[in-house]
Amino acid sequence: MLILDILREYSDSDHRLLQQDIIDLLKTNYGMDCERRAIKSNVVSLREMGYDIASEKGYYLKTREYTDAELRILIDSIFTSGAITDKEAHSLVRKLEKHSNKYFKSHVAHIHCTSSGKNAENKTVMNSIAVIDTAISKGKKISFSYLQYGIDFKLHPKRDIKYIVNPYQMLSDKGKYYLLGNYDKYDGISHYRLDRITNVEILDENRKPMKSITGLENGLDLSKYIAERVYMYSGESEHIRLKTNEILMDSLIDSFGKTFRVELGEGSDIYVDLKCNPEAFFYWAMQFGENIEVLEPESMRNRIRQAALSVYRKYKDSNPV
């Protein structure tokens, strides 16, 4: 098993170990003496146990649980996540690095000092996730405190009374993690940032059945649910029709998935029909105000018109107040 550890740590297709290399590492790392014959017989035993060890021009571990590319994606995902602290992010990465060798570690070492610094400040996120996961599995309600930033740039409870929520699903969207549930006093769906949740407790009371929650009567289609809620706003979705240019297709798919319908217009113009939460769509539309025109519903046209006029009034004077 020490030979296996050495192969994991020091070998790959570009760094093959000769028998003498393994003998030297056994001595240096573990103070163990070994003969050449023993190296070969132990490698044969490891192969019989299912380990994929190549022996062309030296030994190396050919197959691992994760490829270098997979590990890089996982590490990037951890450091760009806003749901956990930097300390937790580094701890997770160190665990992942154990599935690689020293050459991979040297290539990604710089990442440790270049994380964004935008990770969550709530140090109880991992514990909250574990408790919420247990509650979902047991079908129980939970209570928790919900945090928000004050002008001192620190997190504080949003209110003195704890929230009581029926938890159904935890989901990730755009680098943030959310609890999807039902606030006990109402019948609709609510979202809660996991990095804003603390002091989670599982209650004895069973949660409401999912089918009794408005919007979850037929279960939960996560991909469709996220596509209709660009910024994770709660509430019903509505049909929206807009005119834009085909150059915006990338942004449309990034935001709404591939569930919307497209009709060709004149030149490179297109007409798009989609379903989206109106609050979420309003803020999406304001980002692309010069590149889209909302055609339906009239209520959305009016809202964007009023917002545009409000912005115009603030900037129409050349000198700010």
Side-chain angles (χ1 to χ4, degrees), residues 96-304:
L96 282 174
E97 286 179 344
K98 291 179 181 179
H99 294 279
S100 66
N101 57 35
K102 71 171 189 174
Y103 310 106
F104 175 82
K105 293 172 189 174
S106 67
H107 290 158
V108 299
H110 66 283
I111 296 177
H112 288 272
C113 61
T114 58
S115 56
S116 67
K118 297 179 181 178
N119 296 66
E121 296 179 22
N122 179 2
K123 296 178 173 59
T124 66
V125 174
M126 301 303 282
N127 181 63
S128 297
I129 290 173
V131 175
I132 292 170
D133 186 58
T134 300
I136 291 173
S137 299
K138 293 183 176 181
K140 298 293 185 180
K141 294 182 179 180
I142 58 172
S143 66
F144 56 80
S145 298
Y146 202 58
L147 308 176
Q148 64 179 5
Y149 277 103
I151 58 175
D152 58 358
F153 295 92
K154 295 181 180 179
L155 289 169
H156 304 277
K158 192 171 183 179
R159 65 184 197 185
D160 295 331
I161 302 173
K162 295 180 77 172
Y163 286 70
I164 296 178
V165 170
N166 300 279
Y168 298 108
Q169 182 75 43
M170 288 181 285
L171 55 92
S172 171
D173 184 50
K174 298 177 178 66
K176 305 295 182 185
Y177 286 83
Y178 298 86
L179 167 65
L180 187 153
N182 161 255
Y183 184 53
D184 207 37
K185 292 183 178 181
Y186 303 105
D187 297 324
I189 304 169
S190 300
H191 306 114
Y192 304 90
R193 286 264 299 270
L194 282 169
D195 58 318
R196 299 290 190 267
I197 290 175
T198 189
N199 301 323
V200 186
E201 294 182 16
I202 301 176
L203 305 181
D204 292 331
E205 189 177 354
N206 292 335
R207 72 183 180 195
K208 298 176 186 177
M210 184 182 290
K211 63 182 179 181
S212 69
I213 306 302
T214 303
L216 298 179
E217 299 91 342
N218 299 316
L220 177 63
D221 182 337
L222 272 180
S223 58
K224 179 175 181 290
Y225 188 87
I226 292 174
E228 292 182 5
R229 291 161 179 82
V230 186
Y231 303 111
M232 295 306 294
Y233 278 94
S234 303
E236 292 296 310
S237 300
E238 66 180 20
H239 171 258
I240 293 167
R241 183 173 175 83
L242 60 96
K243 179 183 178 182
T244 185
N245 190 284
E246 63 183 29
I247 62 172
L248 215 62
M249 280 296 296
D250 281 350
S251 297
L252 286 163
I253 291 173
D254 284 346
S255 299
F256 305 105
K258 297 182 180 180
T259 58
F260 58 88
R261 187 165 58 90
V262 176
E263 293 178 14
L264 297 179
E266 294 184 7
S268 58
D269 289 342
I270 57 173
Y271 295 90
V272 176
D273 289 273
L274 55 84
K275 287 195 68 177
C276 185
N277 172 276
E279 292 297 320
F281 182 81
F282 170 75
Y283 288 105
W284 182 88
M286 293 300 290
Q287 294 181 76
F288 297 96
E290 291 184 296
N291 304 104
I292 69 168
E293 179 187 359
V294 175
L295 305 177
E296 299 175 11
E298 189 63 29
S299 58
M300 183 62 67
R301 283 181 62 87
N302 289 335
R303 183 174 179 181
I304 293 173

